[in-house]
Amino acid sequence: MKKIIIAIDGPSGSGKSTTAREVAKKLNYLYIDTGAMYRAVTLAWIKSGNEFSNETICEIIKNIKIELKITDEGQKTFLNGSDVSFDIRKPDVTKWVSPVSAIDCVRTAMVEMQRNIGKDGGIVMDGRDIGTVVFPNADLKIFLVASIEERAKRRQKELSQSGIHLSFEEVMAQLETRDIYDSSRANSPLKKAADAILLDTSSLTIEEQTDKVVNLALKIINQ
Ligand code: DC
């Protein structure tokens, strides 16, 4: 059976990771969360104690090893051999990840890794630039959106499940800041690819949004 590449892009909290994970499970595909890679770079820089500058971060990029391992519990992210899956979700990383991911050398290195991981197909990759830059020829491109209120509600719940308690207003402000950064950066900004299918998940259940993507994928696979 044909093994396709599915690109899922959209802003934070639009439902990308949940949808991508569930779609991958149903199709027996590999799910790759590319945001985790940018978070791992950000964590490496924070741990280095260096000031924020393109030069420092580009130097760090040359000397770190980021690995994604697929386990029964999902994707685990490793930085220089240590499991950092929990640490990359901490508020400090979330605060800095947008500026770090706007740096050219960071994007070049991550995009190369992502292309390598996905080149044989059978993959669902989520991020901001998967359909526009990483895999512009992806077989299926989905661009997820949702209202800011709904996205903040989801993000707040997700954070509280991992022990991080922030007010609704704080989460919403963080999302808005990140939206502006991610959509206005010069290098591969968050934007819908012309041939991506727009899906508003504001009033959809996880099951509904997963089914919509799986059905679109099956049509292409069985073509
Ligand atoms: O999906 P996430 O919230 O974990 O992503 C964290 C940040 O990483 C996001 O604010 C922008 C950046 N990112 C990116 O620039 N390109 C991607 N393909 C994925 C994430």
Side-chain angles (χ1 to χ4, degrees), residues 34-35 38-39 97-98 101 107 127-129 178 182 185:
T34 62
Y38 291 95
R39 286 173 178 272
V97 66
S98 283
S101 62
R107 303 212 69 80
R128 304 292 189 288
D129 60 340
R178 246 172 358 120
D182 295 344
R185 68 178 175 225

Side-chain angles (χ1 to χ4, degrees), residues 68-94:
L68 302 180
K69 295 188 184 167
I70 310 305
T71 71
D72 290 344
E73 296 161 49
Q75 173 182 302
K76 296 267 177 208
T77 309
F78 286 75
L79 174 63
N80 299 329
S82 301
D83 184 353
V84 292
S85 312
F86 179 74
D87 289 353
I88 59 170
R89 305 287 158 200
K90 288 188 173 166
D92 222 21
V93 174
T94 302

